[in-house]
């Protein structure tokens, strides 16, 4: 079904006596498409080298259209406001880093940033807010079970297994 589209239908039935019954033509209109959604997909909070500014947060857009993140923000654990013209492509990723230059030199990928604040090694809350300040996604991560323990030092990160899962649950 397409969003914001009117569909017409007729239903009919035959009872036990063989009488056919049909309703008059009916219709329904589908609602507008669901709002676009961006999720916090990956968190790298405890790099192997504690003196290197390698922390990052990766966002994922599971939708079919690119999204304008201008004026959106990451709050609570870190503070970062997305500059004008920031977009995340359909089915694409965007990385926000403590130090984008460090990520480029160590991991070879481009990130935006830097942010102020830092990600605590024992866990905390990360909020993603739209331009009006409305909460769009939130992860309150931890550093022990059920959260991925491989992300607790040693250089690993924690990633969401599937964008349809609740990223605020450690096993997701």
């Amino acid at each position: 079904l397409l969003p914001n589209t009117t569909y017409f239908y007729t239903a009919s039935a035959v009872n036990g006596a063989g009488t056919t019954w049909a309703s008059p033509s009916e219709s329904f209109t589908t609602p507008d498409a669901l709002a676009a959604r961006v999720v916090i997909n990956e968190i790298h909070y405890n790099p192997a080298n504690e003196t290197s500014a390698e922390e990052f947060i990766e966002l994922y857009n599971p939708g079919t259209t690119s999204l304008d993140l201008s004026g959106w923000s990451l709050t609570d654990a870190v503070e970062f406001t997305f500059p004008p013209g920031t977009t995340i492509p359909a089915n694409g990723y965007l990385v926000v880093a403590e130090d984008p230059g460090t990520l480029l030199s160590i991991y070879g990928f481009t990130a935006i940033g830097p942010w102020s604040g830092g990600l605590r090694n024992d866990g905390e809350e990360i909020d993603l807010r739209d331009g009006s300040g409305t909460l769009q996604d939130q992860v309150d991560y931890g550093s022990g079970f059920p959260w991925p323990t491989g992300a607790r030092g040693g250089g690993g990160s924690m990633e969401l297994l599937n964008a349809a899962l609740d990223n605020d649950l450690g096993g997701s």
Side-chain angles (χ1 to χ4, degrees):
L1 300 177
L2 299 174
N4 203 25
T5 302
T6 300
Y7 292 90
F8 297 90
Y9 67 95
T10 301
S12 63
V14 178
N15 66 18
T19 305
T20 301
W21 169 86
S23 67
S25 181
E26 299 284 339
S27 68
F28 67 94
T29 302
T30 56
D32 289 335
L34 295 176
R37 184 172 169 254
V38 175
V39 297
I40 298 169
N41 189 68
E42 183 176 359
I43 302 168
H44 188 227
Y45 67 89
N46 192 356
N49 180 353
E50 293 278 339
T51 64
S52 182
E54 299 175 32
E55 292 182 350
F56 66 85
I57 299 168
E58 178 187 79
L59 305 178
Y60 174 61
N61 172 8
T64 58
T65 60
S66 68
L67 296 173
D68 184 358
L69 300 181
S70 301
W72 285 44
S73 59
L74 288 169
T75 62
D76 210 351
V78 299
E79 298 294 325
F80 178 78
T81 301
F82 294 84
T86 303
T87 59
I88 184 168
N91 200 34
Y93 300 88
L94 179 67
V95 175
V96 183
E98 175 184 19
D99 181 355
T102 299
L103 258 60
L104 183 60
S105 68
I106 293 176
Y107 299 110
F109 62 82
T110 303
I112 61 173
W115 63 47
S116 61
L119 300 172
R120 291 193 342 231
N121 291 347
D122 60 349
E124 67 185 311
E125 186 173 286
I126 301 169
D127 294 340
L128 176 64
R129 297 184 179 276
D130 66 19
S132 69
T134 303
L135 186 66
Q136 295 298 313
D137 196 22
Q138 180 179 70
V139 175
D140 190 0
Y141 71 92
S143 64
F145 183 81
W147 292 93
T149 57
R152 190 176 51 208
S157 63
M158 65 174 80
E159 298 180 49
L160 182 62
L161 296 172
N162 182 312
L165 297 173
D166 182 352
N167 60 357
D168 200 32
L169 298 175
S172 294

